[in-house]
Amino acid sequence: MGVESEFQKMADVSKIRKFKDAADYTKRFVVQEEIDKYLPGGRHFIDEAEINRCITDVAEKPVDPARVREIIAKSESTCETLLPEETAVLMSASSDPALFEEMCAAAGRIKKKVYDNRIVVFAPLYMSNLCVNGCRYCGFREGNDQQKRRVLTMDELKEEIDVLAGRIGHKRLIAVYGEHPTTSTEYIAETIETCYNRQVKAPKTGAPVGIRRVNVNAAPLPVEDLKVLKSVGIGTFQVFQETYNRKLYESMHPSWSVKGNYDWRTTCFHRCMEAGVDDVGLGVLYGLCDWRFELLATVMHARDLERWFNIGPHTLSFPRLEPASGTKVPEESPWLIDDDTFAKIVVIARLSVPYTGIIITARESPESRNRILGCGMTQLDCSSNIAIKGYSDFADEAHQEKDRQQFMLGDNRSIDEMVRYLASRGTITSFCTAGYRCGRTGGCIMDALKTGREGKFCKINAVLTFREWLDDFASDETRRIGDALIEKELAEIREWVPKFYPSVIKQYEATCRGERDLFF
Ligand code: SAM
Ligand code: SF4
């Protein structure tokens, strides 16, 4: 089938590891014992019958407002993951405008308690679009002749970093990879190291700048490979489930493809935890299936990770199907969702997994992202370009080319515009990457998040990194608005930790003088 042609194409490019054919590749990358270990007795933690029961018996039935308020209160006070049935109650309540308003307000309060008034920014960086899989909704799928294929070389990657870190000012990336023998573990590890090692000078101050955290979105890997990524300092490992509905999953991912194995994908994060990669990012490709099914399954997935490891998802992502080259699935799926439903999903997710980070990408329109800013979002990307080598090839940041990218972006705002917009809403843009560099990841951070302690740490680090970015990159107008916000933030910190405040100010003043990468 189609995969074979990809194996032929790679014959001369693969300096890394040779595979005879697709079966050989699958044998190496799908390890049955590593699936079975986390599905004891063959029982899957995604209990489809229970999900369907929650939908028909709870989400589709009227609810008692008192019960809804009880669940909201539980979420807010404990910050613990809800039971699927409780999430289903919120789903039902979300069609009542007054109750939904209460849910939105609570989602905003929880976000503030756990993450304070900050939004973390990052950029996607596509490393390669070679892929051996046949996902029916994706422009990168094997056999799509409309897609121009390429893999970044390390020199090209350095050029991308020069723009991302040196011109835009990003510190945090999500590196994205198709699934292919030439771009598997060794390539991923090499690209992560290259990102960390590249240092450039900031345009306004000449200060040294670089990438401080590389998160990865790639195919599921065996434990042995995950340990390699851990050893080079991977941040969060993201793998989107696409859909938790097994039957639909199998119809979207052909059985000849590596990705066709539902159990391998759903057990990926269990393996991550085993390998010590304890910041994991879950996601669903909304629009493929009933959103209620997906969100209930996400809650079950989070609960199973908590049950095994006492650590839940570091982040949840909410990609929505977007138009892509050579496929009609994104236009024709019967489950596409509108902006109102999208907002509901985010609010219910915030209440259901209160401690988790919520990432809303530039797939969304500016209106959609602006709308849900106060309802639980914690991370967004901006100045994004998802063409392979797009940052260094296109001086115009908003430029897009359908045949060079996986799908089309909806929000092309530059970082300067985004920072200004966020500041106008009293939100500080954080470039902080301290948590992961101080070992505040996985289990170490769970309690701190749930009790709101981490949010306070982050506020201080947000101020320091915001100061860096304003001095190194901001336009005059953005800097003016940002300066005023920092004054306000510092006043809050002084009130909150008067004894600690002198240490904060010391670091802040050093940052103003040009010292970089100071954090708590
Ligand atoms: N190849 C790896 C995999 O599939 O797991 C990781 C990278 S893939 C490029 C990243 C994600 O893009 C996929 O997991 C999927 O959720 C998302 N994606 C694919 N096609 C899309 C589309 N048409 N619109 C929006 N997101 C899409
Ligand atoms: Fe390949 Fe990932 Fe696209 Fe599927 S979603 S075709 S695995 S890049």
Side-chain angles (χ1 to χ4, degrees):
M1 202 51 210
V3 185
E4 307 306 336
S5 60
E6 281 299 334
F7 280 87
Q8 280 144 24
K9 269 190 243 158
M10 64 165 265
D12 55 339
V13 232
S14 175
K15 65 176 166 66
I16 294 170
R17 191 195 290 264
K18 306 280 182 205
F19 293 93
K20 282 201 306 286
D21 52 24
D24 187 30
Y25 179 74
T26 305
K27 202 164 111 209
R28 164 73 176 80
F29 280 100
V30 179
V31 184
Q32 190 59 42
E33 308 85 80
E34 294 187 7
I35 296 176
D36 297 342
K37 181 171 179 184
Y38 295 111
L39 302 179
R43 238 193 83 251
H44 205 293
F45 53 87
I46 302 298
D47 181 345
E48 295 205 11
E50 172 61 5
I51 294 176
N52 288 324
R53 190 197 66 76
C54 283
I55 293 175
T56 49
D57 292 1
V58 184
E60 289 180 349
K61 297 271 160 61
V63 275
D64 174 5
R67 174 88 182 111
V68 177
R69 290 184 186 118
E70 212 175 271
I71 294 169
I72 294 176
K74 172 184 166 185
S75 167
E76 224 177 318
S77 62
T78 66
C79 278
E80 299 288 352
T81 305
L82 296 180
L83 296 164
E85 178 148 345
E86 292 169 333
T87 295
V89 170
L90 298 180
M91 287 172 175
S92 168
S94 68
S95 46
D96 175 322
L99 282 177
F100 185 59
E101 211 167 291
E102 287 181 39
M103 287 162 60
C104 290
R109 286 194 300 273
I110 292 171
K111 191 268 166 181
K112 175 102 170 63
K113 171 180 165 187
V114 181
Y115 292 93
D116 210 79
N117 63 330
R118 74 188 211 286
I119 290 282
V120 169
V121 292
F122 67 94
L125 173 55
Y126 276 66
M127 300 286 188
S128 117
N129 59 358
L130 263 57
C131 195
V132 292
N133 290 312
C135 314
R136 288 183 43 219
Y137 44 81
C138 178
F140 289 177
R141 77 190 174 287
E142 193 280 334
N144 177 18
D145 295 334
Q146 290 181 31
Q147 188 73 206
K148 295 174 188 152
R149 307 281 172 173
R150 71 183 299 166
V151 178
L152 281 187
T153 64
M154 294 309 136
D155 283 341
E156 288 171 335
L157 173 55
K158 287 175 196 160
E159 286 176 41
E160 293 284 272
I161 300 296
D162 291 354
V163 177
L164 280 160
R167 270 213 324 255
I168 302 173
H170 277 298
K171 307 278 185 276
R172 177 187 290 248
L173 300 179
I174 177 80
V176 186
Y177 308 76
E179 179 163 19
H180 195 274
T182 54
T183 59
S184 200
T185 313
E186 293 87 343
Y187 176 81
I188 297 176
E190 196 182 353
T191 50
I192 293 175
E193 286 182 309
T194 304
C195 291
Y196 285 138
N197 291 337
R198 188 75 176 168
Q199 289 287 313
V200 274
K201 286 196 185 325
K204 295 198 176 231
T205 58
V209 287
I211 297 300
R212 297 174 183 166
R213 175 165 174 139
V214 184
N215 300 328
V216 166
N217 184 312
L221 290 169
V223 172
E224 179 199 336
D225 298 70
L226 289 162
K227 284 183 179 164
V228 173
L229 300 191
K230 169 85 183 164
S231 73
V232 295
I234 186 178
T236 307
F237 191 55
Q238 271 188 356
V239 175
F240 299 157
Q241 181 53 36
E242 324 303 10
T243 174
Y244 283 96
N245 182 311
R246 187 185 285 269
K247 218 161 150 211
L248 187 78
Y249 184 90
E250 286 168 1
S251 78
M252 286 291 152
H253 307 100
S255 58
W256 53 257
S257 66
V258 193
K259 191 158 165 180
N261 191 322
Y262 176 92
D263 291 341
W264 179 244
R265 200 163 180 93
T266 42
T267 50
C268 168
F269 297 125
H270 296 70
R271 288 190 296 282
C272 284
M273 299 287 177
E274 185 179 329
V277 178
D278 54 5
D279 275 356
V280 297
L282 279 61
V284 159
L285 186 49
Y286 282 93
L288 286 176
C289 181
D290 183 344
W291 64 272
R292 298 170 306 177
F293 187 99
E294 305 293 23
L295 197 45
L296 288 163
T298 304
V299 169
M300 279 185 180
H301 198 164
R303 291 180 67 87
D304 200 62
L305 291 170
E306 291 168 3
R307 193 173 66 79
W308 277 91
F309 305 100
N310 219 8
I311 303 173
H314 184 65
T315 54
L316 295 181
S317 294
F318 299 82
R320 230 197 301 193
L321 263 183
E322 298 296 339
S325 82
T327 171
K328 293 218 169 338
V329 173
E331 283 87 19
E332 292 178 354
S333 168
W335 295 106
L336 297 177
I337 49 170
D338 59 19
D339 286 359
D340 287 346
T341 310
F342 190 74
K344 270 187 196 178
I345 294 170
V346 174
V347 169
I348 299 171
R350 166 52 69 218
L351 292 166
S352 297
V353 194
Y355 58 79
T356 200
I358 286 190
I359 301 177
I360 309 290
T361 69
R363 289 176 180 84
E364 291 302 306
S365 66
E367 299 70 38
S368 171
R369 290 215 288 189
N370 293 352
R371 174 178 173 186
I372 49 187
L373 177 64
C375 302
M377 183 205 302
T378 59
Q379 291 191 31
L380 55 76
D381 57 324
C382 45
S383 280
S384 299
N385 192 306
I386 58 171
I388 318 278
K389 204 166 174 301
Y391 292 105
S392 42
D393 278 359
F394 307 129
D396 168 14
E397 284 177 13
H399 183 94
Q400 295 200 66
E401 272 184 33
K402 198 172 184 183
D403 294 337
R404 276 185 65 171
Q405 57 197 59
Q406 194 189 12
F407 48 79
M408 302 302 280
L409 293 179
D411 189 348
N412 292 307
R413 274 178 287 182
S414 72
I415 195 165
D416 198 74
E417 273 177 280
M418 187 60 92
V419 168
R420 206 163 48 237
Y421 173 73
L422 293 175
S424 75
R425 289 186 55 175
T427 300
I428 185 160
T429 305
S430 176
F431 295 83
C432 172
T433 55
Y436 132 87
R437 290 145 92 219
C438 309
R440 292 203 301 273
T441 64
C444 304
I445 203 182
M446 281 290 140
D447 271 351
L449 284 170
K450 288 175 188 170
T451 54
R453 265 183 294 129
E454 183 65 14
K456 304 297 179 202
F457 257 120
C458 295
K459 192 182 187 72
I460 299 170
N461 288 327
V463 167
L464 296 178
T465 55
F466 193 41
R467 180 75 271 152
E468 289 182 344
W469 188 86
L470 288 174
D471 291 347
D472 289 344
F473 298 96
S475 66
D476 292 346
E477 175 62 3
T478 302
R479 196 183 144 120
R480 195 183 56 74
I481 296 172
D483 284 348
L485 183 57
I486 284 187
E487 284 302 311
K488 192 172 140 282
E489 295 295 300
L490 284 174
E492 274 181 34
I493 294 169
R494 184 172 42 218
E495 201 170 300
W496 163 58
V497 274
K499 289 210 179 97
F500 192 52
Y501 186 69
S503 316
V504 175
I505 272 302
K506 202 165 147 220
Q507 298 291 64
Y508 179 74
E509 284 169 356
T511 305
C512 295
R513 286 194 304 272
E515 276 188 58
R516 290 290 172 264
D517 208 8
L518 304 173
F519 55 83
F520 289 92

